[in-house]
């Protein structure tokens, strides 16, 4: 009895504490950004998170220095690994320790906007300076988030010892594959990671496949075009490579790189990040080209990735941060960045500058960019990779492409639904 | 000397000290103690009131205004508040009990110890506790708080579309668990992954223990020479970091380019799809785990075997026991008795052996119509859910189930192991 009484009193005390509820405050909107009619006050410094890479930091240091000379605003450069930045920003931003500007691959934009970490940036007149693909890449829900800095896509590497000229069409490529492949001796005419959706997508898209329908800068995630006739046609093409024994179904990036650098592969499809190691192994025999044209006359539409300067939602100096981002990516600075860090600029004028078009190892990729399309930047994209990768494994094994792709699309839809989208 | 005082009521003392710590003690006319208690409670309320207030409010609502309230921070603050309140309630109960005991003494007219005396008493009796306390408090925040946080997440809707600060979290009760066994994409995958996890744990661990035991017995045979050398060689697989070994094995098992198919099995005209067929991938994983795991068991058993007295075997020889009888009745019970808890840890370790699954083939190969790969165990599936698709709530729910299974298994086994029952009787 006594125990019951004391327990009851304890509960009363506890509930009393509970109902003494919460912080006292007016339920007003947390922040009102002043879309300033007046000139924004010049800050003393801007904090910028850059990717933790020695060459990139070195290139950016010079550019930041120039900006300080021009405007008198100090730039505090903080190196944070690009892929860790959003996690860190989610914690540092609310605590007031975050940056004004941070650096992200464009396909993360959907996640970032969902988490409310970035504000849209008005590119204004500068919009025409950037390549259309790059601007599309940073457009989400009809608004541009961030200023694109560099772009990358994949293309053809070829070994001039084995093939004097790059294959222009798919037929030529298949002829090379037929003539030069001798799997027993580890000799291959043509290799690519054909079970990796990232590299296989252009062959789907070239025939009319698509991931999510894109209309006016908005992706319709309920409309998935990875099992339509075009996608199936592309999948059949990919499957024929395995069936004819051109590409072993156990192919991985490591194996491909190993064989290519040994000089056993005539043509390989991969990205510019392999330039350094390939060049070291093959020297002048190495050259690049855009992807060969399909039999319907279309260029395969490779995925383009854009790395982007983004505006932190917690920044207090938004106007100047945007000014800064545009300065870093202007033609002159983009070229400087390309020369030091070796990455292709998103700035159209810089990309078509002869410094880049005359570089035999970059020219192929720079040309391929114009045929490419940006990777979808909606968060639902993260549900696509695994089912499609699995589908390609089944296709490599010889399963019916139509059935496999329909299943994969169903899985993607289920995963999107199960992940809590739209609730 | 106080006299017996029948009119002094313990119930009143209890009620008063319940209302506010120290009041009961004052009623008992133990003024110094009472004032001390009063000060402590007042200080506690003044210091912590705001923190607890926000914490509890946050724990219940998980925030009200997006971008201003951060549900994750509020959740953690709420959990810390609960821990602090649990401490406070424990102290408060102690204070009530103290008031009752003192009141009863006064009722019976017994003398009270002086302040110095009671301090000395407390020191003598509480000595071990005083030294254990800092460690316990640390443990509470390093182990219990993250655990509580994980458990809480399993009951929220924390995923990509409900990520603070832009969105607030909500409590959803048991919905995540319900989805796990009712939504097709989760259901079929969950049960097949669970089944393989159990098979994997039992088979791989048993094989590594059996191999370790077998080799330990062989090497321990008196007729074997160069024991030290053989032992060193057998322990080598343990000396190389597991992740290096696993990556090397992954390259060696590659269907087309790996050494095993190319150099070894091709001699017999065979080619096994180690990486592309789920069954053979499972076989390869179990073989690799046996290779990685046996040296530890071997070292363990070798140590224990040497401690078995020769006399027992001599006695058995005189009785005419066979080799098998000696092994069954002397060696095996002795060895298992001493090592059972460590062997159980081996099972628990393999249940959550993330490294090997992830590094060997990333849970692959793919299986049609399934959300996880053919060799994904629960923990590698959880990793996928958290880091590739940001389903934090489902990952937390599955982790909770994993935790319950492992701890249930461990507790059951520990209680049945004699070496743990004798704790405290040393």
């Amino acid at each position: 009895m006594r125990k019951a009484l004391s327990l009851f009193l304890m509960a009363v005390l506890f509930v009393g504490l509970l109902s003494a509820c919460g912080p006292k405050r007016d339920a007003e909107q947390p922040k009102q950004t002043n879309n300033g009619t007046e000139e924004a006050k010049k800050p003393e410094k801007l904090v910028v998170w850059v990717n933790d890479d020695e060459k990139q930091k070195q290139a950016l240091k010079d550019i930041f220095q120039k900006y300080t000379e021009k405007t008198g605003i100090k730039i505090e450069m903080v190196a944070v690994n690009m892929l860790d930045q959003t996690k860190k920003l989610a914690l540092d931003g609310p605590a007031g320790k975050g940056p004004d500007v941070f650096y992200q691959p464009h396909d993360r934009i959907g996640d970032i906007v969902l988490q409310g970490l970035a504000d849209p940036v008005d590119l204004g007149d500068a919009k025409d300076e950037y390549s259309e693909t790059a601007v599309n890449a940073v457009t989400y829900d009809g608004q541009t988030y961030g200023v694109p800095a560099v772009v990358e896509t994949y293309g053809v590497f070829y070994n001039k010892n084995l093939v004097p000229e790059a294959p222009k069409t798919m037929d030529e490529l298949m002829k090379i594959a037929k003539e030069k492949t001798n799997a027993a001796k580890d000799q291959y005419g043509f290799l690519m990671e054909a079970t990796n959706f990232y590299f296989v997508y252009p062959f789907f898209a070239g025939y009319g496949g698509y991931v999510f329908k894109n209309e006016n800068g908005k992706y319709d995630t309920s409309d998935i075009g990875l099992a339509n006739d075009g996608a199936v046609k592309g999948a059949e093409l990919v499957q024929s490579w395995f069936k004819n024994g051109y590409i072993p179904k156990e192919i991985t990036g490591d194996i491909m790189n190993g064989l290519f650098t040994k000089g056993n592969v005539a043509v390989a499809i991969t990205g510019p990040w392999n330039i350094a190691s390939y060049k070291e192994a093959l020297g002048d025999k190495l050259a690049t080209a855009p992807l060969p044209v399909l039999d319907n006359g279309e260029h395969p539409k490779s995925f383009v990735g854009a790395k982007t300067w983004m505006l932190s939602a917690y920044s207090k100096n938004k106007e100047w941060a945007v000014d800064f981002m545009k300065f870093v990516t202007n033609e002159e600075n983009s070229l400087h960045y390309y020369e030091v860090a070796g990455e292709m600029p998103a700035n159209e004028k810089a990309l078509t500058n002869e410094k880049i078009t005359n570089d035999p190892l970059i020219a192929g990729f720079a040309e391929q960019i114009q045929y490419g399309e940006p990777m979808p930047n909606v968060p639902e994209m993260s549900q696509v990779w695994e089912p499609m990768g699995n589908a390609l494994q089944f296709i490599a094994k010889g399963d019916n492409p139509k059935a496999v792709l329909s299943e994969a699309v169903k899985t993607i839809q289920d995963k999107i639904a199960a992940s809590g989208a739209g609730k | 000397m106080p006299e017996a005082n029948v009119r002094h009521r313990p119930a009143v003392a209890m009620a008063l000290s319940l209302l506010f710590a120290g009041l009961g003690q004052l009623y008992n006319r133990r003024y110094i103690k009472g004032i001390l208690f009063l000060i402590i409670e007042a200080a506690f309320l003044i210091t912590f009131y705001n923190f607890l207030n926000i914490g509890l409010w946050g724990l219940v609502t998980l925030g009200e205004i997006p971008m201003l309230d951060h549900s994750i921070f509020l959740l953690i603050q709420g959990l810390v508040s609960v821990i602090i309140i649990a401490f406070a309630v424990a102290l408060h109960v102690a204070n009530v009990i103290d008031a009752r005991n003192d009141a009863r003494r006064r009722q019976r007219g017994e003398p009270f110890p002086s302040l110095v005396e009671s301090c000395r008493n407390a020191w003598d009796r509480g000595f071990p506790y005083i030294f254990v306390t800092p460690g316990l408090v640390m443990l509470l925040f390093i182990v219990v708080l993250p655990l509580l946080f994980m458990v809480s997440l399993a009951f929220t809707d924390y995923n990509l579309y409900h990520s603070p600060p832009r969105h607030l979290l909500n409590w959803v009760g048991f919905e995540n668990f319900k989805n796990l066994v009712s939504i097709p994409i989760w259901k079929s995958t969950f049960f097949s992954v669970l089944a393989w996890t159990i098979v994997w744990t039992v088979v791989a661990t048993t094989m590594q223990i059996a191999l370790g035991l077998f080799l330990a017995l062989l090497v321990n045979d008196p007729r074997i020479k160069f024991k030290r050398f053989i032992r060193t060689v057998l322990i080598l697989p343990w000396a190389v970091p597991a992740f290096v070994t696993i990556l090397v094995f992954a390259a060696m098992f590659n269907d087309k380019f790996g050494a095993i198919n190319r150099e070894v099995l091709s001699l017999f005209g065979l080619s096994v799809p180690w990486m592309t067929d789920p069954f053979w991938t499972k076989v390869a994983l179990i073989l690799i785990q046996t290779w990685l795991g046996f040296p530890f068991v071997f070292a363990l058993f070798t140590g224990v075997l040497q401690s078995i007295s020769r006399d027992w075997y001599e006695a058995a020889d005189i009785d005419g026991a066979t080799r098998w009888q000696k092994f069954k009745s002397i060696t095996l019970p002795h060895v298992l008795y001493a090592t059972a808890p460590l062997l159980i840890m081996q099972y628990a370790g393999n249940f959550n052996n993330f490294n090997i699954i992830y590094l060997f083939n990333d849970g692959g190969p793919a299986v049609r119509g399934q959300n996880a790969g053919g060799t994904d165990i629960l923990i590698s599936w959880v990793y996928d859910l958290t880091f590739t698709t940001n389903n934090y709530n489902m990952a937390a729910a599955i982790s909770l189930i994993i935790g319950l299974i492992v701890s249930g298994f461990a507790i059951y086994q520990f209680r049945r192991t004699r070496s743990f029952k004798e704790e405290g009787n040393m």
Side-chain angles (χ1 to χ4, degrees), chain A residues 256-284:
Chain A
M256 181 180 78
N257 294 341
L259 290 171
F260 192 85
T261 47
K262 254 202 265 169
N264 288 7
V265 182
V267 176
I269 293 180
T270 181
W273 51 88
N274 276 324
I275 289 178
S277 62
Y278 282 13
K279 197 178 168 189
E280 195 183 332
L282 297 180
D284 293 339

Side-chain angles (χ1 to χ4, degrees), chain A residues 206-247:
Chain A
Y207 289 112
Y210 51 87
V211 182
F212 300 119
K213 191 89 194 165
N214 188 342
E215 271 173 41
N216 306 327
K218 276 192 186 180
Y219 287 97
D220 177 4
T221 53
S222 60
D223 185 352
I224 299 174
L226 289 173
N228 64 14
D229 294 342
V232 172
K233 189 132 188 267
E236 279 162 1
L237 174 67
V238 173
Q239 192 168 44
S240 74
W241 302 336
F242 292 109
K243 261 194 194 147
N244 295 333
Y246 299 159
I247 297 182

Side-chain angles (χ1 to χ4, degrees), chain B residues 239-301:
Chain B
V240 182
F243 77 94
V244 176
T245 318
I246 298 166
L247 287 175
V248 170
F249 268 116
M252 280 170 56
F253 272 100
N254 187 293
D255 295 3
K256 191 166 168 58
F257 300 94
I260 290 181
N261 272 350
R262 193 172 255 212
E263 318 291 345
V264 183
L265 292 181
S266 64
L267 296 179
F268 310 99
L270 292 174
S271 177
V272 177
W274 293 113
M275 299 293 252
T276 43
D277 182 278
F279 174 77
W280 288 108
T281 314
K282 287 173 184 177
V283 171
L285 279 171
I286 288 175
L287 290 177
I288 297 171
Q289 179 54 41
T290 309
W291 162 265
L292 283 174
F294 87 83
F296 172 75
V297 183
F298 169 77
L300 190 67
F301 282 153

Side-chain angles (χ1 to χ4, degrees), chain B residues 61-239:
Chain B
T61 61
L62 291 178
E64 280 164 354
I65 305 173
M67 294 306 280
L68 188 61
D69 298 335
H70 195 296
S71 299
I72 296 299
F73 296 160
L74 286 174
L75 181 57
I76 291 174
Q77 194 182 347
L79 291 171
V80 173
S81 305
V82 168
I83 291 176
I84 292 176
I85 288 174
F87 267 118
V89 168
L91 286 177
H92 207 79
V93 168
N95 142 61
V96 172
I97 291 171
D98 177 78
R100 184 190 63 183
N101 289 347
D102 279 358
R104 285 197 181 147
R105 275 188 170 178
R106 181 164 290 279
Q107 206 176 15
R108 288 195 296 268
E110 287 170 25
F112 290 109
S114 72
L115 191 67
V116 179
E117 263 175 87
S118 51
C119 279
R120 194 181 296 136
N121 278 346
W123 176 257
D124 285 347
R125 265 182 288 137
F127 182 76
Y129 295 101
I130 289 167
F131 274 79
V132 165
T133 307
L136 280 179
V137 173
M138 289 273 281
L139 202 70
L140 215 55
F141 285 95
I142 294 171
V143 177
V144 178
L145 182 64
L147 264 179
L148 284 177
F149 180 64
M150 190 273 284
V151 171
S152 314
L153 283 189
F155 298 95
T156 66
D157 57 358
Y158 188 18
N159 59 30
L160 187 57
Y161 302 91
H162 294 95
S163 304
R166 174 82 175 268
H167 299 273
L168 297 165
L169 303 188
N170 299 298
W171 294 112
V172 294
F174 284 91
E175 201 180 288
N176 295 327
F177 296 92
K178 251 190 273 166
N179 288 346
L180 202 56
V181 292
S182 63
I183 291 184
I185 193 168
W186 299 109
K187 186 172 73 174
S188 61
T189 308
F190 177 69
F191 287 115
S192 66
V193 171
L194 180 63
W196 158 240
T197 309
I198 291 168
V199 171
W200 151 258
T201 310
V202 172
V203 177
T205 322
T206 309
M207 291 225 348
Q208 79 191 42
I209 291 173
L211 183 64
L213 177 62
F214 179 70
L215 289 173
L217 286 172
L218 280 190
V219 176
N220 204 49
D221 192 287
R223 285 165 294 181
I224 291 271
K225 289 197 175 129
F226 310 115
K227 280 195 169 117
R228 208 176 275 180
F229 174 72
I230 295 173
R231 264 179 213 144
T232 316
V233 170
L234 286 178
I235 287 176
L236 275 182
W238 194 12

Side-chain angles (χ1 to χ4, degrees), chain A residues 96-412:
Chain A
K97 293 185 295 184
D100 296 290
V101 175
F102 61 108
Y103 190 62
Q104 284 295 298
H106 85 274
D107 52 313
R108 301 280 294 269
I109 287 178
D111 291 15
I112 290 167
V113 173
L114 265 185
Q115 291 178 55
L117 298 177
D119 274 359
V121 169
D122 183 13
L123 289 177
D125 302 335
K127 196 169 184 172
D128 301 333
E129 276 199 32
Y130 304 98
S131 70
E132 201 189 328
T133 320
V135 174
N136 287 340
V138 297
T139 304
Y140 180 76
D141 247 355
Q143 279 182 304
T144 44
Y145 284 87
V147 179
V150 302
V151 284
E152 69 180 17
T153 192
Y154 35 94
V156 161
F157 281 97
Y158 61 102
N159 184 338
K160 287 192 202 159
N161 260 12
L162 298 172
V163 277
E165 272 194 27
K168 295 262 182 329
T169 65
M170 216 57 206
D171 285 342
E172 284 180 40
L173 181 62
M174 291 300 103
K175 225 176 97 195
I176 294 172
K178 199 170 179 189
E179 281 168 9
K180 308 271 179 192
T181 300
N182 183 350
K185 281 191 183 168
D186 278 346
Q187 305 271 338
Y188 292 94
F190 156 57
L191 278 187
M192 65 177 287
E193 285 181 60
T195 53
N196 183 336
F197 180 59
Y198 177 70
F199 293 109
V200 172
Y201 176 74
F203 305 101
F204 285 29
Y207 289 112
Y210 51 87
V211 182
F212 300 119
K213 191 89 194 165
N214 188 342
E215 271 173 41
N216 306 327
K218 276 192 186 180
Y219 287 97
D220 177 4
T221 53
S222 60
D223 185 352
I224 299 174
L226 289 173
N228 64 14
D229 294 342
V232 172
K233 189 132 188 267
E236 279 162 1
L237 174 67
V238 173
Q239 192 168 44
S240 74
W241 302 336
F242 292 109
K243 261 194 194 147
N244 295 333
Y246 299 159
I247 297 182
K249 63 178 189 287
E250 298 81 6
I251 187 78
T252 66
D254 288 343
I255 290 171
M256 181 180 78
N257 294 341
L259 290 171
F260 192 85
T261 47
K262 254 202 265 169
N264 288 7
V265 182
V267 176
I269 293 180
T270 181
W273 51 88
N274 276 324
I275 289 178
S277 62
Y278 282 13
K279 197 178 168 189
E280 195 183 332
L282 297 180
D284 293 339
K285 289 176 278 174
L286 180 74
T288 63
L291 296 176
V293 177
L294 296 170
D295 57 11
N296 62 358
E298 289 280 330
H299 284 277
K301 297 177 188 167
S302 56
F303 272 143
V304 173
K307 288 179 201 155
T308 304
W309 294 109
M310 297 192 75
L311 175 61
S312 165
Y314 299 99
S315 167
K316 293 195 177 76
N317 312 304
K318 297 206 166 125
E319 289 81 359
W320 282 100
V322 172
D323 181 67
F324 163 78
M325 292 191 273
K326 287 178 184 165
F327 177 82
V328 177
T329 54
N330 69 17
E331 186 188 354
E332 187 197 341
N333 290 326
S334 284
L335 276 174
H336 178 78
Y337 187 74
Y338 161 75
E339 276 164 1
V340 180
E343 294 194 287
M344 278 192 291
N347 189 300
E348 182 86 39
K349 279 187 207 147
L351 191 63
T352 50
N353 187 295
E354 52 189 26
K355 272 186 192 158
I356 289 177
T357 50
N358 285 348
D359 182 341
L361 294 180
I362 289 288
F365 298 105
E367 192 185 339
Q368 178 61 35
I369 291 266
Q370 54 179 314
Y371 310 125
E373 56 181 56
M375 250 187 288
N377 54 16
V378 286
E380 284 81 0
M381 189 62 194
S382 62
Q383 313 289 356
V384 172
W385 299 109
E386 214 198 326
M388 285 309 290
N390 292 347
L392 287 167
Q393 279 193 19
F394 303 136
I395 287 169
K397 269 196 216 163
D399 291 3
N400 179 303
K402 174 91 191 156
V404 166
L405 288 177
S406 308
E407 256 177 42
V409 167
K410 176 84 177 57
T411 310
I412 294 169

